[in-house]
Amino acid sequence: MSGNSTATTATAAYSVEDLTRWYAGYKNGFFKNIAILRSVSSIISVIFSSLLIALIFKSKDRLSTTYHRLLLGMAISDILFSLPMATFGAMDPTDMSYALWNARGNQAICTLHGFVSKTGGLLSLCYTCSLILYYLAKVKYRKTESFIQYKLEPFFHGVPILIGMVIGVVSLVNKNYNTVYGGCTLTPVYDPPHCEGLEDGTVREGFTIPCGRGRNKSFFG
């Protein structure tokens, strides 16, 4: 929790010493366990998605079928979603190190984590829907591979990419990738315990991230 911070006359509700003492048990217990479990599961997910990609390229059809191309999109999306979370909490900003285990990052790294992971998560969700629609067209409506490839597949890829990028970029512009209790995620407003009692935009002494970061007055008042 260091860096060039802007000193203010506002008084925070809690001292850093109090916060460190209060969160010590959670930091080395609950939050540590969550960070480890999340990272281990993410590493496993990345490994199996990578194996799926390898199997696709080793198969006879490779990327000649819509099915394989959709699977490739799902696998890449899962890797984007999982990889940033496989860092055992190291990408969390040091501003939260009084509460979060292994927090070694800064806001820029946290923003990168959030953008890549959440965009990947949206892509993965939408590609799952695309795969379901592919089977619906193939099995129930008995559409030919040619019809699916030329009439439907552009939407199977285009819609997930459009949704993922629009939401991802809008959240990036609005500074909505933040962390409070672990994992740099889509947290619209940065309002951690050490900002209690401080106005939005205040950078508490010894910290680097402004309180209330990402608060859009049009939505949050």
Side-chain angles (χ1 to χ4, degrees), residues 65-138:
T65 66
T66 298
Y67 176 63
H68 277 186
R69 289 190 289 270
L70 290 176
L71 284 181
L72 178 65
M74 287 184 63
I76 293 174
S77 300
D78 180 68
I79 291 173
L80 291 174
F81 173 67
S82 302
L83 196 58
M85 295 192 293
T87 56
F88 295 91
M91 298 183 79
D92 289 329
T94 54
D95 276 19
M96 291 298 299
S97 61
Y98 62 84
L100 299 180
W101 175 77
N102 201 35
R104 301 172 184 269
N106 54 38
Q107 185 55 53
I109 293 175
C110 183
T111 298
L112 177 64
H113 175 179
F115 176 74
V116 173
S117 182
K118 289 308 161 187
T119 301
L122 288 169
L123 284 169
S124 181
L125 177 63
C126 292
Y127 262 111
T128 300
C129 294
S130 292
L131 190 62
I132 292 171
L133 293 174
Y134 166 80
Y135 276 118
L136 184 67
K138 188 80 170 177

Side-chain angles (χ1 to χ4, degrees), residues 54-69:
L55 288 174
I56 290 173
F57 282 99
K58 285 185 177 181
S59 68
K60 181 181 65 176
D61 294 330
R62 292 199 167 190
L63 295 179
S64 63
T65 66
T66 298
Y67 176 63
H68 277 186
R69 289 190 289 270

